[in-house]
Amino acid sequence: MQDYSTEFAGKRVLVTGGSRGIGAAAAQRLIDGGAKVVVTARSRHEETPAKAIFISGDLRTKEGAEAVAKEAISILDGLDILIHSAGAARVQLTSIDQIAETEWLDSLDINFLAGLRITHAVLPALKAAGKAAIVYVSAGGLIPFGTPLAHYGAAKAALNNYAQNLAKELAPAGIRVNVVTPGPIITPGGDEVRNTITGAMGITDAQFFAGVPLQGRGGKAEELAEPIAFLVSDRASYITGHNHFVTGGWGELV
Ligand SMILES: NC(=O)c1ccc[n+]([C@@H]2O[C@H](COP(=O)([O-])OP(=O)(O)OC[C@H]3O[C@@H](n4cnc5c(N)ncnc54)[C@H](OP(=O)(O)O)[C@@H]3O)[C@@H](O)[C@H]2O)c1
């Protein structure tokens, strides 16, 4: 088996949403590969990788994203890799027209505009690095629950479309941009969403996960971290502009 323990040696990495869940697992995976990693979120959690440098910040505003970018680039003295995993799904147990305007706007801020803002703030550093890579942890097109997550799905769909355009624009500069769409992953955020939905539907976790073709189970954050690490590595040097489904076969492929 190949030894990847030095694959990211010398790489400077920013992971948004890196305090817990998928972002924390991705940060840990790159640290294990020798990268220097800054993680950001509003607050540190128990599972925040100890070897990551933590920056507190809120990506729901342009100023917040720019402050995080500036500090991360200063600490790392540049940037080679951006992994944007920050996001939040607040389940709405109502009809689509009853989802409040504030929920649509908040979802757009954290699930779409946060990605755009942090990207634009770090882009000069990525361009200076040359062979850089971006991965967005998204969703969209894979939301089987409809209305409760309609505002979330719409914002993530916007992120996916933005990422495709960005990939085209940055390709001549050698900067690769990819999206990863997770299935139901066991994380603090994922658990919160699942508990609300199973509670409302009156079903158990086992019934919820039964819809996942691969062994009827939820995914582990590490099972996302590995494909993310692959996509930002030189092993994926000819892959850009795609949405990669890591779902255990779950959901409709649209
Ligand atoms: N788990 C799943 O089943 C699943 C499925 C599909 C897609 N996804 C997507 O995968 C990504 C990671 O999800 P996860 O399950 O790992 O969620 P999680 O456990 O809730 O982690 C989310 C991360 O984002 C950060 N964050 C949230 N709001 C933020 C804000 N305003 N500013 C800065 N950071 C913020 C959180 O830290 P703070 O709250 O401290 O800021 C945390 O570090 C998300 O984009 C999510 O939409 C997850």
Side-chain angles (χ1 to χ4, degrees):
M1 184 154 157
Q2 188 97 26
D3 175 14
Y4 294 121
S5 64
T6 56
E7 181 172 34
F8 295 110
K11 294 292 182 190
R12 301 156 297 178
V13 182
L14 172 61
V15 183
T16 73
S19 67
R20 66 184 207 182
I22 295 167
Q28 187 60 57
R29 173 62 183 80
L30 266 73
I31 289 167
D32 292 343
K36 188 167 180 188
V37 178
V38 167
V39 298
T40 187
R42 287 166 301 178
S43 48
R44 184 189 275 279
H45 294 270
E46 233 168 55
E47 60 179 287
T48 306
K51 287 192 178 157
I53 301 154
F54 179 80
I55 297 179
S56 173
D58 190 335
L59 300 180
R60 285 176 301 180
T61 66
K62 187 168 183 278
E63 296 71 31
E66 284 174 353
V68 165
K70 194 172 169 199
E71 197 178 341
I73 290 164
S74 162
I75 290 169
L76 296 168
D77 194 23
L79 195 69
D80 302 289
I81 294 170
L82 170 66
I83 297 169
H84 174 65
S85 188
R90 222 169 17 234
V91 173
Q92 301 294 306
L93 298 171
T94 182
S95 60
I96 207 162
D97 60 323
Q98 294 302 312
I99 299 177
E101 172 92 1
T102 48
E103 288 294 332
W104 289 97
L105 291 173
D106 194 57
S107 189
L108 277 172
D109 265 328
I110 185 56
N111 293 308
F112 169 43
L113 292 169
L116 174 148
R117 288 169 180 146
I118 193 69
T119 303
H120 294 182
V122 301
L123 210 43
L126 291 179
K127 283 180 174 166
K131 211 173 59 174
I134 302 174
V135 163
Y136 298 101
V137 184
S138 190
L142 259 178
I143 310 290
F145 299 107
T147 305
L149 291 170
H151 55 319
Y152 168 78
K156 291 290 198 181
L159 180 65
N160 297 346
N161 192 276
Y162 164 78
Q164 274 184 317
N165 283 301
L166 187 72
K168 284 214 170 67
E169 184 166 314
L170 297 183
I175 302 176
R176 299 181 300 101
V177 181
N178 284 285
V179 172
V180 167
T181 285
I185 309 304
I186 297 165
T187 64
D191 294 350
E192 210 175 290
V193 169
R194 189 180 68 257
N195 290 339
T196 309
I197 290 175
T198 53
M201 292 174 78
I203 60 170
T204 62
D205 271 4
Q207 287 169 315
F208 178 91
F209 287 128
V212 178
L214 197 66
Q215 301 171 311
R217 66 173 177 87
K220 298 180 203 136
E222 292 72 25
E223 290 177 301
L224 266 291
E226 201 53 47
I228 291 170
F230 167 72
L231 286 169
V232 298
S233 77
D234 288 345
R235 287 177 285 144
S237 56
Y238 203 55
I239 302 177
T240 195
H242 287 286
N243 188 347
H244 307 265
F245 291 78
V246 185
T247 65
W250 184 73
E252 295 156 40
L253 295 174
V254 293

